[in-house]
Amino acid sequence: TLFLAVKLVDQYLAQLQGQSQVTGPRRRHLLAASVLVIASKFEDEAVPDYEALAHTSDGEFAKDEVHVVELHLLDKLGYRLHMPSAIHHLHWFLELVDANGDFILLAQYLCEVGLESHEFPQWMPTDHAAAAVVLASMMLNKPEWPPAFEAICVGNDEARREAIMHVLYGLCRAVYKTGPGKAVFDKYATGSSKMLASQVATLLENVLAQSASGPFSSSS
C-alpha cells in the first residue's frame, strides 16, 4: 500500500508539470490522505476510516474533501492503479537468496527508506528491489550476487548490474538522510523491528570501511 501510494503521488505531481495546485501543508496532507485511501482500497481489505483521517489532520480538511480529491485523483490517473512496485519484486528476490528473518527485515527497511529519496521516481522497481537485496547482503557479509539472483537480475547484460548499483548508491544516500521524525525510520526504530533503523547507518559505515577500492565493487 505504501509503495503504491508513493507511486501514485509521483505520477499525479508529474502530470501537474509545474502547476501550483499542491502548495501548502493543507493541500499536501489532503493529497496524502486521499492517495492512502486509493492505495488501501486497491491493495488491502481494510480501508482507512475517512473520519479518522480527517481527525488526524487537526481540522485541516474534512472527510468529504477526501472523497472529492479521491475522485479527482482517479480521474487524473485514468483509473490506472495496477502498476509494479519494488515491494512486489523484493519478496521474490528474497526467496531467490534464501533470506532469513534479519535479512528480510533489513532489505525491507532499505527498500522502504528509498521511498524518501528524491531519486525514487527515476528508479525501475526491479532495480530498486534488487539494490535493497545487494546492499543488505553487503551489510550482513553475505554473497552479493548469488547465482540464481544474478541470473535473474543481470543475466549477460552488465548494464543491468550498473543500473542496480546506481540505485544502490541512492539507497545509501537515503540511509544517511533519514532519521528520527521520518516515517520509515520511526517505523523501524521500534522494539518490534529490533530497533533496526538506529543500526543501519553503522552497518553501512562498516561496509564503506571494509571496501578497499571505493565504496562498492560493481561485481561480486
Side-chain angles (χ1 to χ4, degrees):
T1 301
L2 174 63
F3 282 79
L4 178 58
V6 174
K7 193 76 173 179
L8 294 177
V9 169
D10 286 337
Q11 289 204 351
Y12 175 68
L13 294 179
Q15 288 189 23
L16 295 184
Q17 298 180 340
Q19 300 176 41
S20 57
Q21 294 184 26
V22 190
T23 57
R26 178 186 179 280
R27 289 180 179 272
R28 290 195 295 268
H29 293 165
L30 178 56
L31 173 63
S34 303
V35 167
L36 179 61
V37 168
I38 294 172
S40 295
K41 286 181 176 179
F42 190 80
E43 293 281 1
D44 301 330
E45 294 182 5
V47 179
D49 181 76
Y50 288 84
E51 191 69 50
L53 286 172
H55 179 73
T56 59
S57 75
D58 292 327
E60 286 190 335
F61 56 80
K63 67 175 184 179
D64 290 341
E65 292 180 279
V66 178
H67 283 289
V68 172
V69 174
E70 179 186 357
L71 293 174
H72 169 72
L73 288 170
L74 287 170
D75 179 64
K76 285 291 185 181
L77 296 169
Y79 288 82
R80 297 179 182 275
L81 305 180
H82 188 72
M83 58 187 70
S85 69
I87 199 66
H88 296 135
H89 297 289
L90 182 66
H91 295 153
W92 180 36
F93 291 162
L94 289 172
E95 290 184 11
L96 284 176
V97 301
D98 195 25
N100 61 19
D102 289 342
F103 191 113
I104 292 171
L105 188 65
L106 177 57
Q108 288 176 336
Y109 172 76
L110 295 171
C111 204
E112 289 187 28
V113 83
L115 296 174
E116 298 178 354
S117 172
H118 70 277
E119 303 169 59
F120 166 72
Q122 283 74 51
W123 297 343
M124 293 288 292
T126 49
D127 295 345
H128 183 175
V133 171
V134 174
L135 184 53
S137 299
M138 291 176 171
M139 290 179 171
L140 297 178
N141 295 312
K142 303 285 187 182
E144 299 161 20
W145 299 98
F149 174 70
E150 185 175 35
I152 291 293
C153 296
V154 178
N156 297 318
D157 186 0
E158 284 301 312
R160 297 299 316 127
R161 194 192 311 274
E162 293 178 6
I164 292 169
M165 294 303 293
H166 176 75
V167 176
L168 187 148
Y169 300 142
L171 292 180
C172 292
R173 288 187 283 272
V175 166
Y176 282 126
K177 289 181 179 179
T178 195
K182 294 291 187 70
V184 176
F185 184 95
D186 290 348
K187 173 183 174 182
Y188 285 87
T190 61
S192 61
S193 295
K194 302 182 180 181
M195 309 299 288
L196 175 67
S198 59
Q199 305 172 43
V200 173
T202 300
L203 291 173
L204 181 54
E205 289 289 352
N206 291 339
V207 171
L208 297 176
Q210 294 171 9
S211 177
S213 56
F216 303 101
S217 170
S218 61
S219 61
S220 57

